[in-house]
Amino acid sequence: MVVFKEFVKVTFVSVTLLIGITSAATSQEQVEESSAENVITETFDGDDLSLILGGQLAQRSGASEWLLYVADGKLVMENRKNSNSLHYNDITWVKFPESDTVTTTDNAVISAIVEAENEGNGGVGILVGSGKAGAYLMFSVDAQGRYHLLKKDGRTLRPVHSAIHEAIAVDAPNELTFEVRGTNAAFFANGTEIIKIPYMDRFGNARQNNERAGVGVAAFGIGRFFFESVEIAEAD
C-alpha cells in the first residue's frame, strides 16, 4: 500500500507520498453568475487572483513548488520542481445569485472543465471534503486519458484507483463532476460515470479541527494544469 505522510510549513499543508506526492495547500476574481439561482460559474475572465471564486484562492506564504495564475481565460496550476507534489485549494464559501448572504459549500456539488499537461504521473481535478482538515476525495484526469482517485483521511493520503477510460479525452479538456448516490460518491467525466466509492463523512475531521468541509480544486505531479471553468451548485 502506498502511504502519504503530512507535515505543516507556514500556512501550507503538505502531504508526502512515499513514492510520489506532496501536497501544498492554499485555499475562491470574478464569478459569472449562472441564470440558475443557486449556481455560480467561474470562467476566469479576469486576472486578479484576489477576486477569483469570491477571493478564496488564498495568498501563498512561504516557499512552494507551485505557481498559481490566470492566463488566456484559464486558472493555471504549475509545478516544475517536485514530481511528488499535490496542490489543493479549498472552496468553503460561495455567494449565490440573488442572495446577499454567503453560504458554506458543505452540501454543494462541483464541476470543472480541466486539462492536464503532465510530465509523467500527474493529474488535475476536483476535491470533495476539506483539504485543510485532511479529509477529502480527489478525482482527477491526465493528458493520457487516465483518471486517478485519491483519498485523504487524517495524516494518510492514498491512491484508491487509477485506470484508462474511453470517456476521458486525451490531450484535451474534460468536464469532471460528482454526485452523492445514497452511501456512494459517484464521479463523472464528460457525462459518463467513471467510478463510485463509499462516501466518506466530509464533515468529521473538519468539525474536530474547527474547519469547514466542502469542495475544491487540485492538481498533482510535474506540468501545467488548467481550469477553464468551475461551477458550484447547491445539491438537489
Side-chain angles (χ1 to χ4, degrees), residues 92-113:
T92 53
W93 300 90
V94 292
K95 180 180 175 296
F96 290 113
E98 310 305 324
S99 174
D100 60 0
T101 304
V102 293
T103 185
T104 71
T105 57
D106 286 355
N107 294 303
V109 292
I110 186 171
S111 64
I113 298 176

Side-chain angles (χ1 to χ4, degrees), residues 62-123:
S64 173
E65 298 93 355
W66 289 87
L67 298 175
L68 185 67
Y69 56 94
V70 176
D72 299 322
K74 300 175 183 178
L75 175 67
V76 185
M77 296 179 179
E78 182 173 1
N79 172 28
R80 295 296 180 187
K81 296 182 178 181
N82 187 350
S83 62
N84 301 327
S85 183
L86 182 152
H87 175 92
Y88 64 77
N89 290 89
D90 288 322
I91 304 167
T92 53
W93 300 90
V94 292
K95 180 180 175 296
F96 290 113
E98 310 305 324
S99 174
D100 60 0
T101 304
V102 293
T103 185
T104 71
T105 57
D106 286 355
N107 294 303
V109 292
I110 186 171
S111 64
I113 298 176
V114 301
E115 185 171 4
E117 290 182 356
N118 54 290
E119 300 173 12
N121 192 37

Side-chain angles (χ1 to χ4, degrees), residues 34-60:
S34 167
S35 58
E37 182 176 347
N38 294 325
V39 178
I40 61 169
T41 302
E42 172 63 76
T43 54
F44 307 108
D45 295 324
D47 58 3
D48 187 347
L49 283 175
S50 70
L51 297 177
I52 289 176
L53 288 167
Q56 291 197 59
L57 293 181
Q59 298 300 310
R60 294 175 301 177

